[in-house]
Amino acid sequence: MKSFFHYYLALKNPDAGEWNGSPACIYTELVTRDYIRKSFAITDGLQLCNVGIGTGDWDDYLGYWLNGKGSVTSIDIDSEICELFAYRQQREGHPNPSKVVCESILESCLPKEQFDIVTLSGSTVRETGDFCSCLDACIGLLKQGGSMMFMAGLKYTPIQMLEPYIANTAYRLEGTQIHEAYPEYPFYICTIRK
Protein backbone atom coordinates (compact mmCIF):
# COMPACT_ATOMS: atom_id res chain seq x y z
CA MET A 1 0.00 0.00 0.00
CA LYS A 2 2.86 2.37 0.78
CA SER A 3 4.32 1.87 -2.73
CA PHE A 4 0.89 2.50 -4.24
CA PHE A 5 0.68 5.80 -2.36
CA HIS A 6 4.16 6.79 -3.60
CA TYR A 7 3.08 5.97 -7.16
CA TYR A 8 0.28 8.53 -6.96
CA LEU A 9 2.60 11.07 -5.36
CA ALA A 10 5.08 10.56 -8.21
CA LEU A 11 2.40 11.52 -10.74
CA LYS A 12 2.31 14.96 -9.15
CA ASN A 13 6.01 15.42 -8.34
CA PRO A 14 7.71 18.57 -9.64
CA ASP A 15 9.20 16.75 -12.66
CA ALA A 16 6.10 14.84 -13.82
CA GLY A 17 3.19 16.70 -12.27
CA GLU A 18 3.46 19.78 -14.41
CA TRP A 19 3.50 17.68 -17.61
CA ASN A 20 0.84 15.13 -16.53
CA GLY A 21 -1.68 17.88 -15.83
CA SER A 22 -0.79 20.16 -18.72
CA PRO A 23 -3.07 20.95 -21.67
CA ALA A 24 -0.36 19.56 -24.01
CA CYS A 25 -0.41 16.19 -22.21
CA ILE A 26 -4.19 16.02 -22.13
CA TYR A 27 -4.36 16.97 -25.81
CA THR A 28 -1.80 14.26 -26.67
CA GLU A 29 -3.81 11.65 -24.75
CA LEU A 30 -7.06 12.69 -26.43
CA VAL A 31 -5.61 12.63 -29.94
CA THR A 32 -3.88 9.27 -29.39
CA ARG A 33 -7.02 7.64 -27.97
CA ASP A 34 -9.10 9.02 -30.81
CA TYR A 35 -6.56 7.80 -33.38
CA ILE A 36 -6.59 4.19 -32.19
CA ARG A 37 -10.37 4.15 -31.83
CA LYS A 38 -10.86 5.39 -35.39
CA SER A 39 -7.98 3.50 -37.05
CA PHE A 40 -8.39 -0.04 -35.71
CA ALA A 41 -11.41 -2.35 -35.76
CA ILE A 42 -12.05 -4.42 -32.66
CA THR A 43 -12.64 -8.09 -33.40
CA ASP A 44 -13.44 -10.95 -31.02
CA GLY A 45 -10.29 -12.35 -29.45
CA LEU A 46 -8.10 -9.40 -30.45
CA GLN A 47 -4.66 -9.55 -28.83
CA LEU A 48 -2.94 -6.20 -28.17
CA CYS A 49 0.46 -5.48 -26.67
CA ASN A 50 1.47 -2.06 -25.33
CA VAL A 51 5.19 -1.41 -24.98
CA GLY A 52 6.07 0.92 -22.10
CA ILE A 53 3.58 1.28 -19.23
CA GLY A 54 4.60 4.65 -17.78
CA THR A 55 1.71 5.87 -15.61
CA GLY A 56 -0.53 3.09 -16.99
CA ASP A 57 -3.29 5.45 -18.15
CA TRP A 58 -2.89 4.36 -21.78
CA ASP A 59 -2.96 0.68 -20.79
CA ASP A 60 -6.09 1.31 -18.72
CA TYR A 61 -7.77 2.94 -21.73
CA LEU A 62 -6.81 0.05 -24.02
CA GLY A 63 -8.34 -2.45 -21.59
CA TYR A 64 -11.60 -0.49 -21.46
CA TRP A 65 -11.59 -0.09 -25.25
CA LEU A 66 -11.21 -3.87 -25.76
CA ASN A 67 -13.40 -4.95 -22.85
CA GLY A 68 -15.43 -8.01 -23.79
CA LYS A 69 -13.65 -8.40 -27.14
CA GLY A 70 -9.91 -8.66 -26.57
CA SER A 71 -7.02 -8.58 -24.14
CA VAL A 72 -4.02 -6.37 -23.41
CA THR A 73 -0.46 -7.38 -22.57
CA SER A 74 1.62 -4.54 -21.12
CA ILE A 75 5.42 -4.77 -21.11
CA ASP A 76 7.88 -2.53 -19.28
CA ILE A 77 11.46 -2.97 -18.10
CA ASP A 78 10.86 -1.22 -14.74
CA SER A 79 9.82 -3.75 -12.09
CA GLU A 80 8.35 -1.14 -9.75
CA ILE A 81 6.18 0.31 -12.53
CA CYS A 82 4.99 -3.20 -13.45
CA GLU A 83 4.22 -4.16 -9.87
CA LEU A 84 2.36 -0.94 -9.06
CA PHE A 85 0.42 -0.96 -12.31
CA ALA A 86 -0.77 -4.55 -11.82
CA TYR A 87 -1.66 -3.80 -8.20
CA ARG A 88 -3.51 -0.61 -9.11
CA GLN A 89 -5.59 -2.30 -11.81
CA GLN A 90 -6.49 -5.08 -9.36
CA ARG A 91 -7.25 -2.66 -6.52
CA GLU A 92 -9.40 -0.44 -8.75
CA GLY A 93 -11.23 -3.45 -10.18
CA HIS A 94 -10.36 -2.83 -13.83
CA PRO A 95 -12.82 -4.99 -15.84
CA ASN A 96 -10.18 -6.02 -18.42
CA PRO A 97 -6.79 -5.80 -16.69
CA SER A 98 -3.51 -6.13 -18.55
CA LYS A 99 -1.28 -9.15 -18.43
CA VAL A 100 1.86 -7.43 -17.14
CA VAL A 101 5.28 -8.57 -18.40
CA CYS A 102 8.36 -7.10 -16.74
CA GLU A 103 11.21 -7.23 -19.23
CA SER A 104 12.93 -5.22 -21.93
CA ILE A 105 11.24 -5.17 -25.32
CA LEU A 106 14.74 -5.66 -26.76
CA GLU A 107 15.14 -8.98 -24.89
CA SER A 108 11.54 -10.06 -24.55
CA CYS A 109 10.43 -13.67 -24.16
CA LEU A 110 6.99 -12.84 -25.58
CA PRO A 111 6.17 -15.18 -28.47
CA LYS A 112 6.72 -13.76 -31.94
CA GLU A 113 3.75 -13.08 -34.19
CA GLN A 114 1.22 -13.33 -31.34
CA PHE A 115 -0.46 -9.92 -31.44
CA ASP A 116 -2.95 -8.26 -33.77
CA ILE A 117 -1.96 -4.77 -32.59
CA VAL A 118 1.15 -3.41 -30.86
CA THR A 119 1.23 0.14 -29.51
CA LEU A 120 4.42 2.09 -28.93
CA SER A 121 4.04 5.67 -27.78
CA GLY A 122 5.68 8.61 -26.08
CA SER A 123 9.31 8.38 -25.06
CA THR A 124 9.52 4.57 -24.98
CA VAL A 125 11.35 4.14 -28.29
CA ARG A 126 13.91 6.80 -27.29
CA GLU A 127 14.38 5.29 -23.83
CA THR A 128 15.41 1.93 -25.32
CA GLY A 129 18.42 3.64 -26.87
CA ASP A 130 18.04 1.76 -30.16
CA PHE A 131 15.34 3.03 -32.50
CA CYS A 132 15.64 0.31 -35.17
CA SER A 133 15.98 -2.61 -32.74
CA CYS A 134 12.97 -1.38 -30.77
CA LEU A 135 10.81 -1.17 -33.90
CA ASP A 136 12.09 -4.57 -35.06
CA ALA A 137 11.16 -6.13 -31.70
CA CYS A 138 7.70 -4.54 -31.68
CA ILE A 139 6.89 -5.47 -35.26
CA GLY A 140 8.21 -8.99 -34.60
CA LEU A 141 5.41 -9.42 -32.05
CA LEU A 142 2.77 -8.78 -34.74
CA LYS A 143 0.93 -11.53 -36.56
CA GLN A 144 1.26 -11.35 -40.33
CA GLY A 145 -1.20 -8.64 -41.36
CA GLY A 146 -1.05 -7.07 -37.89
CA SER A 147 -0.57 -3.36 -37.19
CA MET A 148 1.49 -1.18 -34.91
CA MET A 149 0.31 2.21 -33.72
CA PHE A 150 3.40 4.38 -33.25
CA MET A 151 3.33 7.79 -31.57
CA ALA A 152 6.42 9.84 -30.79
CA GLY A 153 7.52 13.40 -30.15
CA LEU A 154 8.98 15.24 -33.11
CA LYS A 155 11.78 16.80 -31.04
CA TYR A 156 13.46 13.55 -29.95
CA THR A 157 12.16 11.01 -32.48
CA PRO A 158 11.61 12.92 -35.71
CA ILE A 159 9.53 11.29 -38.41
CA GLN A 160 12.64 11.47 -40.59
CA MET A 161 13.98 8.56 -38.49
CA LEU A 162 10.94 6.44 -39.33
CA GLU A 163 10.73 6.96 -43.08
CA PRO A 164 14.12 5.37 -43.99
CA TYR A 165 13.42 2.52 -41.58
CA ILE A 166 10.13 1.73 -43.37
CA ALA A 167 11.74 2.19 -46.82
CA ASN A 168 14.10 -0.72 -46.05
CA THR A 169 11.28 -3.14 -45.12
CA ALA A 170 8.17 -4.66 -46.62
CA TYR A 171 6.00 -2.81 -44.07
CA ARG A 172 3.53 -0.09 -45.00
CA LEU A 173 3.28 3.29 -43.30
CA GLU A 174 -0.31 4.58 -43.15
CA GLY A 175 -2.45 7.24 -41.55
CA THR A 176 0.37 9.55 -40.51
CA GLN A 177 -0.80 12.59 -38.57
CA ILE A 178 1.43 15.40 -37.34
CA HIS A 179 0.18 17.45 -34.40
CA GLU A 180 1.79 20.77 -33.55
CA ALA A 181 -0.98 22.49 -31.58
CA TYR A 182 1.33 22.72 -28.56
CA PRO A 183 4.84 23.87 -29.50
CA GLU A 184 6.28 22.36 -26.32
CA TYR A 185 5.26 18.87 -27.51
CA PRO A 186 4.79 18.45 -31.26
CA PHE A 187 4.21 14.78 -32.09
CA TYR A 188 3.13 12.37 -34.78
CA ILE A 189 1.02 9.22 -34.88
CA CYS A 190 1.01 6.60 -37.59
CA THR A 191 0.20 2.99 -38.34
CA ILE A 192 2.80 0.48 -39.49
CA ARG A 193 1.23 -2.53 -41.23
CA LYS A 194 3.09 -5.82 -41.32
Side-chain angles (χ1 to χ4, degrees):
M1 185 66 158
K2 186 176 179 183
S3 293
F4 192 51
F5 176 68
H6 288 291
Y7 167 79
Y8 278 106
L9 288 178
L11 292 176
K12 301 297 181 188
N13 78 26
D15 294 328
E18 185 177 352
W19 166 252
N20 289 337
S22 72
C25 178
I26 294 166
Y27 174 77
T28 303
E29 289 178 10
L30 171 71
V31 168
T32 306
R33 291 176 186 195
D34 192 53
Y35 183 91
I36 198 163
R37 187 180 60 81
K38 290 179 177 175
S39 300
F40 299 91
I42 299 175
T43 57
D44 284 330
L46 189 136
Q47 298 292 309
L48 185 147
C49 180
N50 178 53
V51 179
I53 295 170
T55 63
D57 291 342
W58 174 244
D59 305 78
D60 285 337
Y61 172 75
L62 294 171
Y64 289 122
W65 180 59
L66 294 178
N67 195 20
K69 295 283 189 174
S71 61
V72 177
T73 298
S74 300
I75 181 172
D76 199 292
I77 195 170
D78 187 309
S79 60
E80 187 175 15
I81 284 175
C82 291
E83 181 183 325
L84 290 172
F85 172 63
Y87 174 76
R88 182 178 60 74
Q89 280 202 324
Q90 184 272 324
R91 175 118 172 129
E92 293 173 358
H94 195 292
N96 189 19
S98 293
K99 173 188 173 191
V100 179
V101 176
C102 186
E103 56 190 25
S104 168
I105 188 61
L106 302 178
E107 299 172 0
S108 173
C109 294
L110 288 171
K112 302 294 180 215
E113 299 190 345
Q114 175 180 333
F115 297 95
D116 302 292
I117 299 172
V118 170
T119 63
L120 177 65
S121 62
S123 62
T124 303
V125 70
R126 182 173 47 87
E127 291 171 9
T128 67
D130 191 334
F131 180 83
C132 292
S133 294
C134 181
L135 290 182
D136 288 344
C138 290
I139 294 169
L141 295 175
L142 288 170
K143 297 175 182 175
Q144 197 57 42
S147 301
M148 183 171 91
M149 189 213 76
F150 181 55
M151 186 280 281
L154 286 164
K155 287 183 183 177
Y156 301 108
T157 313
I159 198 161
Q160 292 80 3
M161 292 175 72
L162 181 61
E163 291 165 342
Y165 172 85
I166 295 295
N168 291 314
T169 69
Y171 314 137
R172 293 187 328 267
L173 184 61
E174 300 176 353
T176 303
Q177 297 179 359
I178 297 175
H179 296 273
E180 299 176 296
Y182 288 89
E184 64 271 32
Y185 191 71
F187 65 96
Y188 62 98
I189 306 175
C190 60
T191 300
I192 300 170
R193 302 260 187 224
K194 185 175 182 181

